[in-house]
Amino acid sequence: MDVKPKSRWRISKWLVLILIGFLSFHAYHRYLFEKRTALVKRLRDAGATVRYTWFVPGSMPDFLRPHLPFIDLPVKPRVFDIDANNIKLSDETLRDLELMTYLSFVNLENCNVSDVTLDRLQDLESLKKLNLKGTHITNQGLRHLENKPYLFSINLEQTEVTPEAVNRLRTKLNQLKVNPPSDKQRHKKLVIAVSNKQTLQKQTHSPPGKSD
């Protein structure tokens, strides 16, 4: 006599848990969506160019379509290119940059950014090209780029990074390219641009001692 009520209770309990899980999933991804949208607005308000790319799967269940703007799946346009060349962006403007998981090209030339922004790039594995010319990055910040298997172009001109730090970064990235994630990446040659001042810094440094 008690079997059916207990069975119904179990079913109801699981349905409630599934509903709670779905609502939590929806709320979390809506939160991420709003964060990304706010970042894009800040970038555009500052004068930066933001470009999107489309990722469309072969099929998507109809019941999910109304929720696509808030679901973190590759089924809608994603930011892949940020061009802020000679725009005075700051680390604060770029907060939540780590949420741009499809970001591939970033141009921050002459922006007022530091190692804080590089820390936000640490987990963005799709990064391919990064222009940091004229920024305030340091040797410590370069360590956040050492795990980028697709990164093939970095501009470090007019920064405070040293030749030793650049060589370390080059070595780490080339090690990743020994067994690249894809065959296309195998033929990409890493290019790191530095200024003559950085390149010759070690050679032209005068040792302490006698003076004429």
Side-chain angles (χ1 to χ4, degrees):
M1 296 291 295
D2 296 333
V3 175
K4 287 186 177 180
K6 286 184 178 180
S7 177
R8 289 174 181 171
W9 164 244
R10 290 194 188 97
I11 293 173
S12 299
K13 181 174 70 174
W14 280 110
L15 287 175
V16 170
L17 290 175
I18 290 171
L19 179 60
I20 292 174
F22 178 79
L23 292 177
S24 300
F25 176 87
H26 184 280
Y28 174 68
H29 289 283
R30 177 164 186 160
Y31 167 80
L32 294 181
F33 171 79
E34 291 173 350
K35 286 281 191 178
R36 293 190 187 101
T37 302
L39 172 55
V40 170
K41 184 178 186 304
R42 289 197 302 273
L43 289 169
R44 286 179 167 167
D45 288 347
T49 300
V50 180
R51 298 182 180 89
Y52 290 82
T53 185
W54 276 92
F55 293 85
V56 183
S59 61
M60 173 60 58
D62 291 338
F63 75 92
L64 284 179
R65 293 187 183 279
H67 307 283
L68 291 187
F70 310 116
I71 296 179
D72 192 25
L73 293 175
V75 292
K76 56 185 182 296
R78 294 302 189 92
V79 173
F80 83 103
D81 185 355
I82 295 175
D83 186 353
N85 186 10
N86 287 309
I87 294 174
K88 297 305 179 182
L89 292 185
S90 65
D91 293 321
E92 175 61 21
T93 308
L94 292 168
R95 68 183 184 274
D96 300 320
L97 187 63
E98 65 276 10
L99 301 179
M100 300 297 189
T101 51
Y102 287 91
L103 195 59
S104 297
F105 305 97
V106 182
N107 184 354
L108 299 176
E109 183 172 338
N110 293 323
C111 290
N112 188 27
V113 298
S114 66
D115 295 344
V116 173
T117 292
L118 292 189
D119 182 38
R120 293 168 179 154
L121 295 173
Q122 184 170 6
D123 295 326
L124 302 184
E125 294 186 355
S126 297
L127 201 61
K128 297 177 181 178
K129 190 172 183 180
L130 181 60
N131 186 351
L132 298 169
K133 180 179 179 180
T135 59
H136 305 293
I137 63 167
T138 68
N139 292 347
Q140 190 62 33
L142 287 189
R143 292 177 179 266
H144 298 309
L145 304 177
E146 293 177 357
N147 63 338
K148 303 285 179 288
Y150 296 100
L151 189 58
F152 66 88
S153 178
I154 315 168
N155 190 336
L156 301 173
E157 295 178 355
Q158 300 174 25
T159 63
E160 296 300 319
V161 298
T162 63
E164 292 81 5
V166 173
N167 288 334
R168 173 188 166 90
L169 177 62
R170 181 181 287 108
T171 299
K172 292 288 186 180
L173 293 178
N174 282 330
Q175 286 174 350
L176 294 177
K177 296 176 191 303
V178 173
N179 295 301
S182 68
D183 290 336
K184 291 181 180 179
Q185 187 64 15
R186 189 182 303 276
H187 304 292
K188 287 284 188 181
K189 183 179 179 181
L190 176 64
V191 177
I192 301 180
V194 294
S195 62
N196 290 334
K197 179 180 177 181
Q198 291 165 296
T199 305
L200 299 176
Q201 178 181 352
K202 187 176 181 181
Q203 299 175 10
T204 59
H205 180 69
S206 299
K210 298 180 180 180
S211 59
D212 295 335

